[in-house]
Amino acid sequence: MWKAVKDREAGFLLPSSFATRIRSHRVASLDLSNHKEIVSPHNGAINSLQVDLTEERYLLSGSSDGSAAVYDIQHATDYERGLIAKHKSLFVVDKQHNHGHRYAISTAVWYPVDTGLFITGSFDHYIKVWDTNTTQVVMDFKMPGKVYRTAMSSIATTHMLIAAGSTDVQVRLCDIASGAFTHTLSGHRDGVMSLEWSTSSEWILVTGGCDGAIRFWDIRRAGCFRVLDQARSQLGRRPLAESTSKKGSVTGQSSSAKSMVSQRRIPLGNETKQLRALHKSQHLPRGPVVQRLHPGLSSTHNRAVAHYGAVTGLRATGDGMYLLSSGSDSRLRLWDVDSGYNTLVNFEAMRLQPTKALQLAVTQDSSLVFVPCLSTVKAYDVQSGMTFRTFCGHYELVNCCCLSSQDQELYTGSNDRQILVWSPASPVIAEVEEGKGGWVSVADQDNWSD
Amino acid sequence: MGSTAIPPISTRGTGDVLKSNKLVDNKDARHVKTYEVALKDKDFVEGPWSQNNLDNGAGLLIPVPMPLGGVIIIGEETIVYCSATAFKAIPIRPSITRAYGRVDADGSRYLLSDNAGLLHLLVITHERERVTGLKIEHLGETSVASTISYLDNAVVYVGSSYGDSQLIKLNLQPDAKGSYVEVLERYVNLGPIVDFCIVDLERQGQGQVVTCSGAYKDGSLRIVRNGIGINEQASVELQGIKGLWSLRSSTNDPYDTFLVVSFISETRILAMNMDDELEETEIEGFDAQAQTLFCHNAMHDQLIQVTANSVRLVSSTSWELLDQWNASSGFSVNVATANASQILLATGGGHLVYIEIGNGKLVQAKHIQMEYEISCLDINPMGENSHYSSLAAVGMWTDISVRIFSLPSLELLTKENLGGEIIPRSVLLCKFEGVSYLLCALGDGHLFNFLLNKSSGELSDRKKLSNSLAIAKEGELSIGTIDDIQKLHIRTIPLGEHARRICHQEQSRTFAICSLKNCQTITEETEMHFVRLLDDQTFEFISTYALDTYECGCSIISCSFSDDNNVYYCVGTAYVLPEENEPTKGRILVFIVEDGKLQLIAEKETKGAVYSLNAFNGKLLAAINQKIQLYKWMLREDGSRELQSECGHHGHILALYVQTRGDFIVVGDLMKSISLLLYKHEEGAIEERARDYNANWMTAVEILDDDIYLGAENNFNLFTVRRNSDAATDEERGRLEVIGEYHLGEFVNRFRHGSLVMCLPDSEAGHIPTVIFGTVNGVIGVIASLPHDQYLFLEKLQSNLVKVIKGVGGLSHEQWRSFNNEKKMVDSRNFLDGDLIESFLDLSRSRMEEISKGMGVSVEELCKRVEELTRLH
């Protein structure tokens, strides 16, 4: 970092590249935090975690015990032995609360504009909008089934819609402004476990159903305009994004990298040929053609699936170019949003929870994706699919991960009721100044040996 | 490894297919691949050729236009020409090529410049469209080029980000040093300003900015001050000129023939010869071994030379010494003036001596002693007799006055106190349109004028012309305000190495810098870091301390400690080991300047890079990686001193920039904006008071006043935050509230309190605090904290100006100045664009009136308010 700071001030390194380089260095060094802990007040599995979008200061968690809590992740409530920052919840709303959810909270999200509101969805069929300052419910929506996921668009400027997926086949859009459902999106043949608003257009919503389909909706028009098909790929056409070459941080994996490249080279030629043939016969399934299909979509397209089994998680990259999906088939897929093609990036072997909605996280530069894999969290290189890191720390199944792009800290929630903080390597504990701190490290070591 | 620029390759084929090349770096190997851009599909298609395993340093692609086509790949050790049909390579001396420029339209010759500023010509030899080989030739040295543009007729513009840009001519024949490059013109570039300090070297109350500018071999110190730009017509290379006078060979000669040039220890005479060329000559009667204080033609074809010790009367025909007046020993002459028949001089101790010039004789007519030293004199004749004056004007040190004496009696007629602290530097008795005046110029550029009663010597009708300049020509004198001709005066001190930190020490009259020198060996490029001491007048290196291998200087301050009267230079360093991402070791070095040498007094090892040092309550506050650490200066039993850590504060990602005020510490973090810490004396602890929770990646911070702090961030924005010490809740008190936001469009490296203009106690501008900033692009700017009513007035003016002045290309000013980072874009607030407001003065009268109508304020009033603003810089 010292060299980067030096190069930045002399103009050798562009400020934007500086930030990217520092962030990727820090993300590459993520490990279980040695100086920060979140004290979970929950008595059930942690199902949802989100850091607020305005200041990235407040973490919101939702748990199976029907409670939701907020933590200040920038400002510790107290320090253990003067060094380990303890972040206790600022408040908890649980079943005891007058308007609390009766069953598990499956999803808890911040209102994207400020931290004055947050939204929880529960298996008790209700979606509730809370006032953060008074911790009172200001609005609720009764859904036809258990709520799996809610989502709000972080870039929306003209609407305040909560998209909600439930055990019901229909996706509903709840309007905070009016307190009513504005849209009912029909198309999925089973419940909808995952939802994601586009990061490039405030009108585009992506939903992943238990029927294995991923559907794109333009909420200004009727019907779904795209269904992702895992069999439609465009391999080899588009050169892999520059990010693969940019990452100086990904080192020490040269052998696996080479094997990856060679693995991928073989099918490359064949696929390209097939594709070109496909193009000729179909006259490009894009542009005006797609427009014509919409809203009805031809029945073959309409039945396409993205995963065998349920789509359990969706995450769009920050640039809006790619979509990542996880399925109960234990697959992670990378989709090119513009064309709707499956990029066929082979994410190395993993086992995913099949029955629960998963919350994935992607780094700001879209280079790494964090995926809850049973009791671990794995970080994969988005473009190559290689495992970058495996984070072991939870004792039971991990449900959600959330990355704070401001601090490059990863928060993970698990069935073991813990929220773990993974932070960039910091020599805080190792670096003990003479005199004052000396005994602390000794005490610390003693604790470890116990 | 790094990302690579990908220039588009020549268009070829059907027109809707463009080719694009790309260097793919996979670990150490580098390859070139071509892609076609299928415009219709908005997609890439694999291109016709590729080239694997190139030079590992290959980082620059030069597209070759048709008909040759293809691409030149510049590596660190080879240059390769590559196309679908040909592959030619030549080895080169290891270097990193920074820039290229195409010479011919057909693309057969290119100029290449590397990071040592060496210019090469690369030639593609070809027979028709078949490339047969490459040739490279060394041309010479220029600034380290960022861009090269071949203009025409062998004239090339070399644009540089790290040194002065140059206009060069490529000669057909090499000069004596074997260089084909002739520099025609240089264009000053201050960038990158990595650090700077504001000093008042001449002690006139006017600040000068001394910047660490440039990089690599073009590193330099630049001394920037407000001054006057003069277009040079002809020059003689002479260093250290102290004075200049012209003389005629006889009293009646219409033209001057001699130029007397005075240096510190000698005087030289230049004469115009028959060919109208200046040529050095000698006048026997003159003392050539002393500095000349004054020189003049006197009556009877005589010349006068006044030196510190004597007055010499010399015949202007025979050049012989006719008479000499010697100053009494111990009192050397300080200032002197003369007209054709009289000499008035002042020696040390306030002695004023009046001498009359006879034919071949000097007669001391009168001598008086004054209570203070004399700063300036004048006896310009105003009466009918153009050779004789009956009045003398004298400017004084200490009581800051001008006095009028009668001649030859040296009787005091009038005394006028000027007030203030700036001494009169020059007085002049003169006559405009038959009315006599006394003009008196102060050291700060202000000018007083008085009406002078010729007979009684009384002064009346005192006027002060602020920021004015008097220009005297033959028979006329014009007075203009400096604003019209004001210009920054920049002096360059080339260092040949990259200075990164600078500070000034008043007591030892020295600068200390942290610098680095790039050393290119055959195998690798290494950096050597130094702490160097420079004289603040001559800017010569007077002492050097070489840092250890891998050790870099990161911060430097001049400070003193409690219970110790000495002033020290403290230097913070880091050991940058190749295998470490973040330094884990550094040092704080404490130097004292003794006999012009840096003496290491104490050193303290730290657990990381010392990014910042501050003097803090007689102690030393260091920012070391993520920690703020306070050191006290302890006396050991053996009488030596050492730094001892007292307390610290964790909780930053990297504490890069630190400023202090009283017990408060303001920290600019790598990525977590500004936080405010407080040192508690009783507990001997530092604790966090408040913080800005926005994710600003800081590049500089400064404390504007007790409550308001200024920050610059990575996306070229400025912002201010305010401490809410009176807020009701802990939560609010713990939050620094953002009160101002602005897009500067420049990467700020450093803020410093200070000003480039004279701080005048009586002017309104003197009460407005200013901060100067320096940026990577070499911009020096001023931020002034305006009083609220003035802000409101100027804000209104700005909003009216925006309606009248259209941005280049119709771009919106409001949008450009909006605070803009990766996460948000918000309108600027509590900042005004001074450049825009000052452009009011350049508007035509009709547009001024348009704005005046919109504002409901008269044009004159508007001009006055805007001019007030311009005086801040």
Side-chain angles (χ1 to χ4, degrees):
Chain A
M1 278 188 218
W2 152 250
K3 183 156 193 319
V5 170
K6 183 183 128 209
D7 286 350
R8 178 179 69 163
E9 69 179 18
F12 303 153
L13 182 63
L14 284 176
S16 53
S17 323
F18 171 84
T20 312
R21 189 176 296 183
I22 299 275
R23 277 196 200 101
S24 69
H25 266 295
R26 285 172 59 81
V27 170
S29 69
L30 281 180
D31 211 338
L32 195 56
S33 179
N34 56 5
H35 61 272
K36 192 167 185 178
E37 276 178 20
I38 291 177
V39 184
S40 164
H42 301 298
N43 292 314
I46 314 289
N47 293 327
S48 173
L49 285 173
Q50 195 193 23
V51 178
D52 78 89
L53 301 162
T54 46
E55 280 184 327
E56 302 203 25
R57 181 175 174 186
Y58 298 105
L59 178 73
L60 174 66
S61 64
S63 163
S64 291
D65 66 355
S67 63
V70 171
Y71 319 82
D72 184 341
I73 50 172
Q74 300 287 353
H75 196 81
T77 38
D78 60 74
Y79 287 86
E80 188 176 290
R81 294 195 302 271
L83 282 175
I84 299 171
K86 293 272 186 189
H87 296 260
K88 291 191 177 136
S89 57
L90 300 177
F91 63 84
V92 184
V93 286
D94 53 17
K95 284 180 189 167
Q96 274 71 50
H97 189 280
N98 285 342
H99 306 286
H101 286 289
R102 285 188 295 136
Y103 305 130
I105 291 182
S106 52
T107 172
V109 294
W110 285 106
Y111 177 57
V113 180
D114 59 51
T115 50
L117 294 176
F118 65 93
I119 294 106
T120 55
S122 161
F123 280 8
D124 66 5
H125 298 201
Y126 277 97
I127 292 171
K128 296 192 176 181
V129 180
W130 300 79
D131 181 319
T132 317
N133 293 314
T134 61
T135 64
Q136 293 300 316
V137 173
V138 289
M139 194 177 286
D140 59 10
F141 299 92
K142 172 93 162 69
M143 294 289 288
K146 291 180 190 171
V147 179
Y148 284 127
R149 262 298 168 243
T150 55
M152 291 195 75
S153 170
S154 58
I155 55 166
T157 52
T158 54
H159 66 76
M160 297 169 71
L161 296 173
I162 306 166
S166 63
T167 45
D168 187 59
V169 294
Q170 289 178 332
V171 174
R172 291 183 184 229
L173 300 186
C174 320
D175 189 357
I176 300 181
S178 65
F181 297 115
T182 55
H183 296 62
T184 311
L185 308 176
S186 307
H188 284 289
R189 292 177 180 77
D190 202 344
V192 174
M193 254 193 196
S194 50
L195 292 159
E196 178 85 344
W197 287 92
S198 161
T199 46
S200 52
S201 164
E202 61 173 305
W203 310 110
I204 309 293
L205 176 69
V206 187
T207 59
C210 297
D211 55 356
I214 297 176
R215 290 174 178 270
F216 281 66
W217 314 83
D218 182 332
I219 59 165
R220 294 166 297 186
R221 294 159 197 238
C224 148
F225 72 92
R226 177 179 291 154
V227 183
L228 296 183
D229 185 347
Q230 57 178 323
R232 264 186 37 187
S233 69
Q234 52 138 18
L235 222 174
R237 296 263 304 164
R238 188 175 297 230
L240 290 177
E242 281 74 40
S243 56
T244 44
S245 59
K246 269 188 197 157
K247 278 199 306 300
S249 57
V250 189
T251 48
Q253 296 176 340
S254 57
S255 58
S256 62
K258 270 179 197 150
S259 66
M260 265 319 294
V261 172
S262 55
Q263 271 174 25
R264 301 208 39 228
R265 280 279 155 78
I266 305 156
L268 196 141
N270 303 338
E271 290 282 340
T272 319
K273 270 180 206 157
Q274 283 170 9
L275 243 160
R276 280 191 182 150
L278 203 78
H279 270 225
K280 273 178 197 156
S281 61
Q282 290 195 343
H283 296 289
L284 284 172
R286 288 225 233 127
V289 187
V290 175
Q291 293 292 323
R292 214 180 301 143
L293 283 173
H294 177 284
L297 279 175
S298 75
S299 59
T300 45
H301 272 116
N302 210 0
R303 235 172 273 137
V305 289
H307 287 274
Y308 298 111
V311 179
T312 52
L314 283 176
R315 174 64 72 196
T317 58
D319 52 20
M321 302 253 292
Y322 296 98
L323 178 74
L324 285 145
S325 66
S326 65
S328 56
D329 52 1
S330 277
R331 289 283 178 188
L332 189 65
R333 296 197 202 285
L334 179 71
W335 306 88
D336 184 301
V337 170
D338 177 52
S339 61
Y341 288 130
N342 180 358
T343 60
L344 289 188
V345 170
N346 178 28
F347 290 93
E348 287 177 345
M350 66 179 86
R351 284 190 63 204
L352 302 176
Q353 277 193 73
T355 54
K356 206 158 180 180
L358 298 179
Q359 195 184 322
L360 318 177
V362 180
T363 54
Q364 197 170 0
D365 62 353
S366 312
S367 62
L368 292 177
V369 57
F370 297 87
V371 187
C373 297
L374 301 184
S375 67
T376 65
V377 173
K378 284 190 175 183
Y380 291 95
D381 186 293
V382 170
Q383 297 297 338
S384 72
M386 285 184 301
T387 310
F388 178 70
R389 280 287 305 273
T390 303
F391 299 96
C392 301
H394 284 291
Y395 297 122
E396 289 178 46
L397 299 177
V398 181
N399 300 316
C400 50
C401 42
C402 170
L403 187 74
S404 158
S405 61
Q406 179 176 331
D407 292 1
Q408 293 85 45
E409 276 182 334
L410 180 71
Y411 310 99
T412 55
S414 149
N415 285 356
D416 63 11
R417 300 178 288 189
Q418 296 298 317
I419 300 170
L420 295 186
V421 183
W422 309 81
S423 52
S426 149
V428 171
I429 298 264
E431 178 211 303
V432 178
E433 283 298 321
E434 58 262 50
K436 197 180 173 190
W439 60 274
V440 177
S441 74
V442 175
D444 210 38
Q445 281 162 9
D446 282 349
N447 275 2
W448 275 111
S449 62
D450 279 349
Chain B
M1 287 199 288
S3 59
T4 307
I6 308 166
I9 297 289
S10 54
T11 310
R12 176 195 284 228
T14 55
D16 62 344
V17 179
L18 292 166
K19 264 172 50 188
S20 161
N21 286 39
K22 182 179 179 189
L23 286 178
V24 180
D25 27 351
N26 175 16
K27 304 304 158 200
D28 290 337
R30 295 202 173 196
H31 322 286
V32 167
K33 285 178 91 176
T34 55
Y35 291 96
E36 283 179 23
V37 181
L39 289 182
K40 210 158 125 197
D41 299 350
K42 296 187 188 107
D43 216 337
F44 294 118
V45 180
E46 293 229 12
W49 57 271
S50 65
Q51 191 68 46
N52 287 344
N53 297 318
L54 297 158
D55 186 336
N56 285 348
L60 183 65
L61 292 178
I62 303 176
V64 179
M66 299 308 288
L68 295 177
V71 63
I72 300 168
I73 304 153
I74 311 282
E76 285 172 14
E77 285 162 17
T78 53
I79 293 178
V80 173
Y81 170 83
C82 215
S83 72
T85 53
F87 180 86
K88 302 286 173 199
I90 50 163
I92 53 167
R93 197 184 61 83
S95 62
I96 299 166
T97 303
R98 293 265 160 190
Y100 76 90
R102 193 167 75 194
V103 176
D104 309 300
D106 72 348
S108 57
R109 291 187 295 172
Y110 295 87
L111 291 166
L112 305 178
S113 173
D114 66 14
N115 62 351
L118 300 180
L119 193 68
H120 291 87
L121 184 69
L122 176 71
V123 182
I124 303 176
T125 53
H126 57 98
E127 288 166 9
R128 299 231 178 116
E129 289 171 21
R130 195 173 64 83
V131 174
T132 54
L134 294 172
K135 277 199 298 191
I136 191 153
E137 191 165 1
H138 174 80
L139 295 180
E141 191 178 332
T142 66
S143 295
V144 177
S146 308
T147 63
I148 299 174
S149 305
Y150 182 85
L151 302 175
D152 204 355
N153 288 327
V155 177
V156 180
Y157 183 81
V158 176
S160 175
S161 311
Y162 306 121
D164 289 344
S165 296
Q166 294 172 324
L167 190 67
I168 59 167
K169 187 166 167 40
L170 301 174
N171 293 324
L172 290 172
Q173 299 302 324
D175 63 11
K177 290 174 197 155
S179 169
Y180 294 88
V181 173
E182 179 191 342
V183 178
L184 300 179
E185 215 162 323
R186 300 181 79 93
Y187 305 92
V188 171
N189 167 29
L190 294 185
I193 299 175
V194 180
D195 193 10
F196 69 91
C197 60
I198 301 171
V199 290
D200 178 12
L201 295 179
E202 266 118 59
R203 298 185 175 169
Q204 290 186 343
Q206 181 177 11
Q208 304 181 14
V209 168
V210 182
T211 67
C212 292
S213 290
Y216 304 112
K217 71 170 181 80
D218 294 330
S220 61
L221 299 183
R222 306 282 178 132
I223 302 142
V224 183
R225 61 188 172 87
N226 268 336
I228 295 153
I230 291 170
N231 289 324
E232 185 180 271
Q233 299 289 351
S235 66
V236 185
E237 280 194 27
L238 294 166
Q239 297 286 321
I241 296 177
K242 287 288 168 186
L244 197 63
W245 295 269
S246 61
L247 296 177
R248 281 162 297 186
S249 50
S250 80
T251 318
N252 300 321
D253 217 340
Y255 298 110
D256 295 322
T257 32
F258 299 110
L259 204 53
V260 178
V261 187
S262 167
F263 300 87
I264 286 180
S265 60
E266 59 171 337
T267 296
R268 291 204 225 165
I269 294 140
L270 302 169
M272 201 68 92
N273 65 12
M274 304 307 265
D275 303 328
D276 277 0
E277 283 174 353
L278 278 178
E279 182 176 76
E280 194 161 347
T281 181
E282 270 182 36
I283 296 178
E284 285 165 37
F286 273 22
D287 183 357
Q289 304 308 317
Q291 180 184 342
T292 299
L293 295 175
F294 194 79
C295 226
H296 199 70
N297 278 89
M299 293 197 302
H300 314 298
D301 287 349
Q302 299 178 110
L303 304 174
I304 295 289
Q305 184 200 19
V306 185
T307 65
N309 302 318
S310 64
V311 179
R312 299 165 82 94
L313 186 68
V314 177
S315 160
S316 65
T317 47
S318 67
W319 295 358
E320 278 169 7
L321 181 65
L322 300 174
D323 196 6
Q324 186 170 357
W325 173 92
N326 288 313
S328 44
S329 63
F331 294 104
S332 59
V333 179
N334 292 332
V335 280
T337 187
N339 58 36
S341 64
Q342 298 162 297
I343 302 171
L344 190 65
L345 55 87
T347 65
H351 294 279
L352 189 64
V353 179
Y354 172 64
I355 298 169
E356 290 196 335
I357 304 169
N359 195 346
K361 257 197 133 37
L362 291 173
V363 182
Q364 180 174 334
K366 186 77 186 172
H367 166 240
I368 56 167
Q369 189 173 5
M370 321 263 291
E371 60 269 48
Y372 307 115
E373 294 285 340
I374 291 155
S375 67
C376 51
L377 298 169
D378 189 59
I379 49 168
N380 189 36
M382 283 188 299
E384 281 70 51
N385 185 346
S386 65
H387 298 305
Y388 188 86
S389 171
S390 56
L391 293 175
V394 176
M396 304 292 292
W397 284 85
T398 318
D399 70 343
I400 318 286
S401 66
V402 276
R403 302 172 190 209
I404 302 292
F405 292 90
S406 70
L407 289 178
S409 59
L410 283 186
E411 234 172 80
L412 180 63
L413 299 176
T414 318
K415 177 180 166 190
E416 178 82 22
N417 283 318
L418 299 174
E421 289 168 1
I422 313 291
I423 56 152
R425 292 297 293 250
S426 176
V427 285
L428 178 67
L429 299 162
C430 61
K431 205 166 169 183
F432 301 129
E433 293 159 359
V435 185
S436 302
Y437 292 92
L438 171 72
L439 301 182
C440 173
L442 303 189
D444 63 354
H446 281 235
L447 186 74
F448 281 100
N449 84 21
F450 301 92
L451 273 181
L452 177 68
N453 184 323
K454 241 185 331 182
S455 47
S456 69
E458 262 175 49
L459 295 174
S460 58
D461 198 17
R462 166 173 167 159
K463 263 189 211 151
K464 186 175 182 182
L465 301 170
S466 184
N467 282 355
S468 297
L469 177 87
I471 299 174
K473 290 188 211 161
E474 193 177 0
E476 73 173 62
L477 188 134
S478 62
I479 299 174
T481 69
I482 288 182
D483 286 352
D484 296 335
I485 46 174
Q486 186 176 24
K487 210 172 157 186
L488 285 182
H489 182 86
I490 297 166
R491 193 174 142 206
T492 305
I493 313 286
L495 297 177
E497 59 188 40
H498 183 182
R500 295 195 51 251
R501 294 288 180 268
I502 185 167
C503 81
H504 182 245
Q505 195 170 73
E506 180 84 40
Q507 292 78 4
S508 62
R509 308 231 62 175
T510 54
F511 286 101
I513 60 168
C514 294
S515 67
L516 72 95
K517 207 175 179 85
N518 294 76
C519 302
Q520 183 104 37
T521 60
I522 296 163
T523 47
E524 57 177 342
E525 197 182 284
T526 55
E527 287 178 355
M528 283 158 62
H529 292 254
F530 303 98
V531 179
R532 294 196 193 266
L533 191 71
L534 289 86
D535 184 281
D536 76 355
Q537 295 297 315
T538 63
F539 286 91
E540 275 164 6
F541 291 155
I542 50 177
S543 178
T544 295
Y545 180 88
L547 296 173
D548 292 348
T549 323
Y550 297 124
E551 191 181 19
C552 308
C554 311
S555 49
I556 190 163
I557 58 157
S558 163
C559 72
S560 54
F561 297 101
S562 41
D563 316 325
D564 188 348
N565 294 327
N566 294 321
V567 185
Y568 300 95
Y569 277 118
C570 297
V571 179
T573 72
Y575 283 88
V576 184
L577 305 175
E579 68 273 12
E580 277 183 354
N581 175 26
E582 184 63 36
T584 55
K585 191 184 148 195
R587 285 196 293 171
I588 296 174
L589 304 169
V590 182
F591 294 100
I592 193 165
V593 179
E594 271 176 10
D595 308 326
K597 292 273 174 289
L598 283 172
Q599 302 282 353
L600 185 63
I601 296 293
E603 65 176 290
K604 176 83 182 169
E605 193 165 302
T606 60
K607 298 265 165 59
V610 184
Y611 284 103
S612 172
L613 285 173
N614 284 82
F616 187 73
N617 286 304
K619 296 167 185 171
L620 185 68
L621 188 75
I624 303 162
N625 284 9
Q626 41 280 111
K627 197 171 174 188
I628 302 290
Q629 181 77 39
L630 186 63
Y631 293 96
K632 28 183 192 194
W633 187 234
M634 298 299 284
L635 190 65
R636 276 196 291 237
E637 281 175 7
D638 61 357
S640 64
R641 301 272 188 169
E642 66 167 345
L643 286 172
Q644 207 173 75
S645 68
E646 182 179 331
C647 59
H649 182 265
H650 284 285
H652 306 278
I653 306 239
L654 272 188
L656 291 182
Y657 313 101
V658 177
Q659 296 292 338
T660 62
R661 185 182 176 107
D663 293 339
F664 286 100
I665 304 163
V666 170
V667 182
D669 189 87
L670 171 73
M671 59 173 79
K672 298 188 83 171
S673 197
I674 295 177
S675 53
L676 175 71
L677 312 178
L678 175 67
Y679 172 64
K680 295 195 153 176
H681 287 273
E682 303 81 43
E683 296 144 57
I686 296 172
E687 60 181 48
E688 183 179 302
R689 265 304 155 95
R691 156 141 50 120
D692 172 27
Y693 287 93
N694 290 298
N696 290 317
W697 291 55
M698 303 305 295
T699 70
V701 290
E702 187 54 271
I703 299 176
L704 291 181
D705 61 36
D706 280 344
D707 295 325
I708 297 176
Y709 317 121
L710 171 70
E713 61 87 82
N714 206 38
N715 290 294
F716 315 125
N717 300 302
L718 298 179
F719 64 98
T720 48
V721 292
R722 183 171 59 201
R723 176 163 73 106
N724 285 326
S725 43
D726 309 329
T729 65
D730 279 349
E731 144 80 26
E732 283 172 58
R733 276 194 293 273
R735 190 186 277 271
L736 292 174
E737 182 197 357
V738 178
I739 52 166
E741 289 170 301
Y742 185 72
H743 184 75
L744 181 67
E746 285 286 335
F747 186 95
V748 177
N749 267 325
R750 184 74 69 196
F751 291 118
R752 298 265 187 223
H753 282 287
S755 166
L756 274 175
V757 292
M758 197 75 65
C759 301
L760 298 167
D762 56 337
S763 77
E764 221 174 286
H767 300 296
I768 295 178
T770 54
V771 167
I772 295 184
F773 61 83
T775 79
V776 165
N777 287 335
V779 172
I780 293 178
V782 178
I783 299 170
S785 309
L786 298 177
H788 188 64
D789 53 342
Q790 192 178 359
Y791 174 83
L792 291 180
F793 181 85
L794 293 173
E795 187 189 31
K796 200 171 159 196
L797 176 60
Q798 175 175 300
S799 60
N800 277 286
L801 277 168
V802 169
K803 289 177 205 150
V804 174
I805 301 174
K806 289 281 167 275
V808 177
L811 295 174
S812 145
H813 177 265
E814 192 184 325
Q815 203 176 346
W816 160 240
R817 292 303 182 187
S818 294
F819 183 97
N820 181 6
N821 66 14
E822 288 152 340
K823 285 186 73 176
K824 64 173 182 179
M825 177 152 171
V826 289
D827 286 350
S828 78
R829 55 189 169 120
N830 286 328
F831 273 93
L832 293 176
D833 186 343
D835 286 336
L836 177 73
I837 292 172
E838 286 176 17
S839 67
F840 174 79
L841 298 175
D842 304 331
L843 292 179
S844 65
R845 183 76 194 185
S846 61
R847 297 176 94 186
M848 280 186 177
E849 272 159 8
E850 195 181 324
I851 287 164
S852 147
K853 218 174 277 171
M855 294 273 295
V857 180
S858 74
V859 173
E860 286 67 32
E861 173 69 10
L862 284 176
C863 285
K864 192 177 141 255
R865 300 290 288 265
V866 175
E867 275 163 11
E868 265 170 33
L869 189 71
T870 62
R871 269 180 224 128
L872 289 173
H873 62 87

